[in-house]
Amino acid sequence: MMAAKEISKTPSSSKRTLLSTGSIDIHAAQSKNCTKWRVIDTQEAFEEIRCKAFEEPFHCSLKPNCSCDDPADIEYDSSRTWVIDKPNLPKTPQGFRRSLVLRKDYSKLDPYYISPTGKRLRTRNEIATYLKDHPKCKGIAPTDFGFSSPKIMQDTVPENVEQKDSVSAKKIC
């Protein structure tokens, strides 16, 4: 596992987290050297690590004042739902924000982008149209946006969530 995001099962009171249930509240990366999970302070820092996962794997010393000798920042467990992002996804272009929406049945996270004007863009076609209509976004192409959905770690999904049969079947097998 290269990098992960956690989805809060309950609203969080921390100022650096989103307060809505089902939102990404912590970004974390797993050290290649010691396999400990390290909390990454911002989505931007997480995306920087994720986009270089193959050529520059994350290790504890990349985090200030941190080493593999220190205890893990967070443990992988079922106290919250974990999702694993694919490595080497492109960083979100400047001025845009990537957001993920968890489906009620925990089957998938739907990625979308918020434009600099606040418009919600769900597909590459919508992004292409937006970029065409907003010439200030020069140098940005639809291929600069990643619509790959992170993998939901089924062993961390709450037991009381009604899942589609295909997801439930995978969990049992």
Side-chain angles (χ1 to χ4, degrees), residues 67-107:
S67 78
C68 287
D69 296 332
D70 297 329
D73 293 346
I74 192 164
E75 296 293 336
Y76 178 90
D77 62 21
S78 62
S79 64
R80 59 184 65 244
T81 300
W82 284 68
V83 299
I84 305 295
D85 227 342
K86 293 184 175 144
N88 287 21
L89 288 178
K91 279 181 19 179
T92 301
Q94 190 168 357
F96 289 81
R97 186 172 53 87
R98 184 174 190 245
S99 189
L100 298 163
V101 176
L102 180 65
R103 293 183 182 181
K104 288 181 184 179
D105 65 358
Y106 282 63
S107 63

Side-chain angles (χ1 to χ4, degrees), residues 126-147:
E126 287 181 10
I127 286 177
T129 301
Y130 181 88
L131 294 174
K132 182 180 174 190
D133 293 345
H134 294 83
K136 289 183 181 180
C137 296
K138 274 190 175 177
I140 300 175
T143 55
D144 294 336
F145 297 82
F147 283 93

Side-chain angles (χ1 to χ4, degrees), residues 118-161:
K119 184 168 173 70
R120 187 175 173 171
L121 307 167
R122 297 180 208 185
T123 66
R124 276 206 176 84
N125 288 340
E126 287 181 10
I127 286 177
T129 301
Y130 181 88
L131 294 174
K132 182 180 174 190
D133 293 345
H134 294 83
K136 289 183 181 180
C137 296
K138 274 190 175 177
I140 300 175
T143 55
D144 294 336
F145 297 82
F147 283 93
S148 150
S149 182
K151 178 182 178 184
I152 297 172
M153 303 309 292
Q154 292 300 312
D155 59 335
T156 65
V157 171
E159 291 180 14
N160 62 344
V161 172

Side-chain angles (χ1 to χ4, degrees), residues 33-73:
N33 298 341
C34 66
T35 69
K36 292 177 183 170
W37 287 99
R38 300 295 178 199
V39 172
I40 308 303
D41 292 331
T42 65
Q43 180 174 347
E44 293 78 18
F46 175 80
E47 287 186 5
E48 183 69 29
I49 292 165
R50 183 191 64 203
C51 79
K52 299 187 283 185
F54 289 136
E55 58 266 8
E56 295 177 36
F58 178 79
H59 50 88
C60 294
S61 62
L62 292 175
K63 187 173 177 181
N65 303 315
C66 186
S67 78
C68 287
D69 296 332
D70 297 329
D73 293 346

